[in-house]
Amino acid sequence: MTKAIQSSVQVGELATGQALTVPLYSFIGSDSSAPSAYIQANVHGAEVQGNAVIYQLMTLLEGYQVLGNITFAPLANPLGINQKSGEFTLGRFDPITGVNWNREYFDHQVDVQAWYREHQHLTDNALFQAYRSMLVEACQKRLAQPFGISTGHRLAVNLQTMAHQADIVLDLHTGPKSCKHLYCPEYDIDAARYFSIPYTLVIPNSFGGAMDEATFCPWWQLTQYAASQGRDFSVPVSAFTLELASQERIDLDDALVDAKGILAYLSYRGVIAENVSPAKMARFACYLRDYKKFHAPKAGLIEYCAVVGEPLAAGQPLVNILRIDLYGTDQAFQAISLPMDCVPILHFASASVHQGTELYKVMTKVFALPSV
């Protein structure tokens, strides 16, 4: 039976001087040539289901032959997790700066041309090791810079340092009221069929601030530049964001389903020895540019009519807006629909909204993905 090794990493200090730490659990693989994985959860304070998925994953892995090293970082943002107001967790934004916790990662902006010119004599494996070392060292230098960095950026760069040491990075999130969906870089779209997730958002191969982009973008840039110099290899590192339904929710049975889905991808990549197949399901995708936000045209009380994860035909009800203050007029009730077919993916959690509140995110121009 394989057992996880427990440790922790310090990601900052509280005002009273206590160390701010994140627990880590590591499975040491038996094959040094197998891909390694880093999996984190709960960067946003209310998005707790990923912790349940990590629990189920670690429990399952005790009965598997682990080939590549796997590091888990549940409870990855202790500041956001403890950012409570009454019954609710507010930990989506850094309360000091207002920045989204998942947009605090370091954009390396590597001068790939200069770096490659200096290291092009190396074999592929040696080239990858040198590039990985450069990324990790850049993070460490960032943490130690003379003028310091913000609390949120320090947390993110510490997490990013661990992610850069892996070949596969999975960042587990949830939406407000959401169906399961996957953020997948365009160059790696084929990988989406190995996850047991019905909807995929295909994102550009560029940095937007999130962990997945902070991980894969430098490697994509290296791969593209090397190809321009006549040297071809696949992007050595893969990174995805998994959105595992709704926030403020723990469902261990559903977590087991998602854990098995992640094992299917790890099996496909050779991180574990056993053959685990992804779930048989129809899978659909759209490009990020076709992922649309619907904002409240006016303030009021919202009835969310469209079910997340179910196709919605053009003209079918999306929301109803109730204005009880306008009772007795034709403005007291308004039904809203969209002019195109779509798939609602998530919606705002509250029924009471300001004008301009983002009520829904919907996929448009949806296309089917091939099955395994």
Side-chain angles (χ1 to χ4, degrees):
M1 178 180 290
T2 307
K3 283 288 188 181
I5 299 171
Q6 185 174 359
S7 60
S8 65
V9 60
Q10 184 170 335
V11 295
E13 293 179 352
L14 296 175
T16 48
Q18 289 99 330
L20 198 64
T21 61
V22 170
L24 302 176
Y25 298 88
S26 300
F27 287 81
I28 306 303
S30 60
D31 182 355
S32 61
S33 66
S36 59
Y38 170 80
I39 302 175
Q40 70 176 25
N42 215 175
V43 165
H44 289 139
E47 300 181 12
V48 293
Q49 178 69 359
N51 296 313
V53 173
I54 286 178
Y55 168 80
Q56 296 287 34
L57 263 172
M58 293 194 297
T59 302
L60 289 170
L61 283 170
E62 291 182 357
Y64 282 77
Q65 183 183 354
V66 179
L67 301 178
N69 295 338
I70 307 174
T71 299
F72 293 99
L75 307 170
N77 181 1
L79 286 169
I81 293 164
N82 287 291
Q83 190 184 343
K84 304 288 289 186
S85 179
E87 301 175 7
F88 304 102
T89 308
L90 304 180
R92 185 171 183 81
F93 302 97
D94 183 336
I96 299 172
T97 64
V99 177
N100 185 325
W101 290 111
N102 195 37
R103 297 296 184 273
E104 295 267 30
Y105 296 98
F106 179 37
D107 183 1
H108 287 276
Q109 298 184 343
V110 179
D111 185 344
V112 177
Q113 180 177 350
W115 189 93
Y116 183 80
R117 188 183 303 119
E118 183 180 347
H119 297 86
Q120 60 185 327
H121 64 282
L122 298 174
T123 65
D124 284 356
N125 284 339
L127 186 80
F128 301 156
Q129 290 174 6
Y131 200 68
R132 188 187 305 277
S133 295
M134 179 271 295
L135 294 175
V136 171
E137 289 168 9
C139 285
Q140 292 169 340
K141 184 177 179 181
R142 184 76 172 176
L143 291 168
Q145 67 170 319
F147 284 92
I149 57 178
S150 70
T151 301
H153 191 45
R154 179 171 296 278
L155 167 70
V157 176
N158 271 293
L159 298 175
Q160 189 174 353
T161 300
M162 294 187 289
H164 277 321
Q165 298 173 62
D167 302 304
I168 298 164
V169 173
L170 305 181
D171 194 9
L172 309 185
H173 286 256
T174 64
K177 299 295 182 182
S178 174
C179 69
K180 296 177 186 179
H181 54 291
L182 171 74
Y183 284 86
C184 178
E186 188 171 359
Y187 75 84
D188 209 7
I189 189 171
D190 185 62
R193 57 185 176 151
Y194 292 97
F195 290 95
S196 299
I197 293 178
Y199 294 105
T200 294
L201 291 166
V202 184
I203 63 176
N205 306 324
S206 57
F207 182 78
M211 169 60 95
D212 52 359
E213 299 155 340
T215 303
F216 72 69
C217 282
W219 292 99
W220 163 256
Q221 292 160 0
L222 174 65
T223 304
Q224 289 297 101
Y225 185 76
S228 75
Q229 302 303 300
R231 184 173 181 175
D232 293 319
F233 47 75
S234 299
V235 182
V237 169
S238 300
F240 309 92
T241 296
L242 283 63
E243 299 278 354
L244 304 173
S246 303
Q247 66 188 25
E248 297 279 31
R249 157 191 176 269
I250 286 288
D251 184 326
L252 285 168
D253 290 338
D254 197 32
L256 181 59
V257 172
D258 289 324
K260 290 177 179 178
I262 291 172
L263 280 179
Y265 179 74
L266 298 182
S267 171
Y268 158 67
R269 290 295 307 274
V271 181
I272 58 174
E274 290 79 5
N275 182 23
V276 180
S277 298
K280 294 185 182 298
M281 62 169 61
R283 292 172 175 82
F284 301 93
C286 84
Y287 289 94
L288 190 62
R289 62 179 176 268
D290 298 318
Y291 190 43
K292 304 297 185 182
K293 300 175 182 179
F294 173 76
H295 297 87
K298 61 182 181 181
L301 305 178
I302 303 298
E303 180 182 12
Y304 296 95
C305 301
V307 178
V308 295
E310 295 187 8
L312 184 73
Q316 292 299 305
L318 182 71
V319 298
N320 292 326
I321 303 179
L322 179 64
R323 285 291 296 266
I324 195 68
D325 60 309
L326 298 177
Y327 179 74
T329 76
D330 60 3
Q331 297 298 309
F333 175 85
Q334 182 180 5
I336 303 287
S337 61
L338 294 176
M340 76 284 289
D341 295 346
C342 67
V343 178
I345 297 298
L346 59 83
H347 69 72
F348 194 60
S350 176
S352 177
V353 306
H354 299 299
Q355 185 180 39
T357 298
E358 181 184 292
L359 297 185
Y360 270 95
K361 287 185 178 180
V362 304
M363 291 172 59
T364 66
K365 301 181 181 179
V366 178
F367 56 91
L369 291 175
S371 58
V372 176

